[in-house]
Structure formats: structure tokens, C-alpha cells
Amino acid sequence: MRFGVRLHTISRDSSAEAWATANRLLDDLDPDTVAAAQSALGRSESVGQQRMLALHGGSRDKLEIHPNLWAGVGLVRGGAGTALVGSHAEVADLIEEYHSLGVEHFVLSGYPHLEEAYWFGEGVIPELAARGLVEGRAKGGLPLLVSSGR
């Protein structure tokens, strides 16, 4: 049996820049929009969706559910609603942590798709490569799939 995880990423040169970017994603969402989305998502019969909703309870105050793991996307979007947020090294640290726990497959994306793919490719991939985590299975590396979200 193998394990994988589907996450968004928001990485920047500094942690402060990454968190500012994450928070800007919510800037245009008023409380009524969040409440309507939470109500619609709450009707889902998906156990995964119900667990996602329970992570933040619809509140903007509790979105960092683990250091550098942000549930903000799940306020208004179904499915993968968590993001790794931080400096390139911090995001690489979390990926390495998941990998050490047995996660072998990562499906990663972000908003906007192209911009986040750039930041991940230019910042996080070199961090992971320096740690020997993207050189292939023969060396114990983990395969990565950066998704465009389509």
C-alpha cells in the first residue's frame, strides 16, 4: 500500500511574504460569501469534506491548523482545502515531514496556478533536490506531480 496527499502550496522567499499572499486570497471574501460556501459544502456526504470543514469550523481565526499548514482554501472551495504556506525551506520541511511518515505521492497546486507553479519550481524544488528528495526512486526520492488544477 502507498500513500499520497493532495495539497496546495504557497511558498515565497520569506515566510512573511507567503503568509501575506495566503491572507490576500481571502481579502475579497465577505462573511456572507464564506457562510454560503460553508453551507453548500456542509451538505456534502463526503467524509473527507466533512473533516475539512471541521478543521476550521468556518472561522478565519483558526486557519493555521498545524505550523505552516493553512486551511483557508477550504473556507470556500470543496476538495483539497489545505495549503503548505511558508518560505521555500519551510514548505520543503513539511514535504519532507510527510515523506518521513510514509507519504510517497504528492499532488500539489496553488492559486493562481501558473504563479504558484513558478514559485514552487524555483524555490521548493531546489530545496528538495538539495535534500536528495527529487532525484528518483532509486535513491529513495519522492516523485512529485505539480498540478495545474485542471
Side-chain angles (χ1 to χ4, degrees):
M1 183 178 293
R2 294 182 177 167
F3 295 95
V5 65
R6 167 78 171 88
L7 297 160
H8 299 286
T9 64
I10 302 172
S11 76
R12 295 294 185 273
D13 294 332
S14 74
S15 188
E17 289 174 89
W19 283 106
T21 299
N23 289 322
R24 271 194 305 276
L25 290 174
L26 303 180
D27 281 350
D28 293 332
L29 299 177
D30 61 59
D32 291 339
T33 300
V34 173
Q38 290 291 293
S39 176
L41 293 169
R43 291 190 292 274
S44 171
E45 293 182 20
S46 164
V47 172
Q49 186 62 60
Q50 294 305 316
R51 288 181 179 166
M52 182 68 237
L53 293 173
L55 288 176
H56 52 66
S59 171
R60 292 177 192 241
D61 299 332
K62 305 175 198 171
L63 295 177
E64 189 174 8
I65 56 173
H66 178 78
N68 297 91
L69 183 60
W70 184 66
V73 176
L75 280 176
V76 293
R77 182 184 185 280
T82 53
L84 306 177
V85 179
S87 68
H88 306 306
E90 289 169 333
V91 169
D93 288 344
L94 281 171
I95 291 171
E96 187 172 18
E97 184 178 339
Y98 275 104
H99 185 251
S100 73
L101 295 172
V103 176
E104 296 181 36
H105 302 279
F106 294 81
V107 179
L108 306 169
S109 65
Y111 297 103
H113 301 305
L114 185 58
E115 181 180 338
E116 289 308 321
Y118 166 81
W119 282 107
F120 190 87
E122 294 294 316
V124 180
I125 293 287
E127 286 279 341
L128 294 171
R131 301 171 192 203
L133 292 173
V134 292
E135 286 302 315
R137 294 178 193 267
K139 294 183 180 178
L142 65 140
L144 291 172
L145 167 63
V146 180
S147 169
S148 68
R150 294 181 199 159

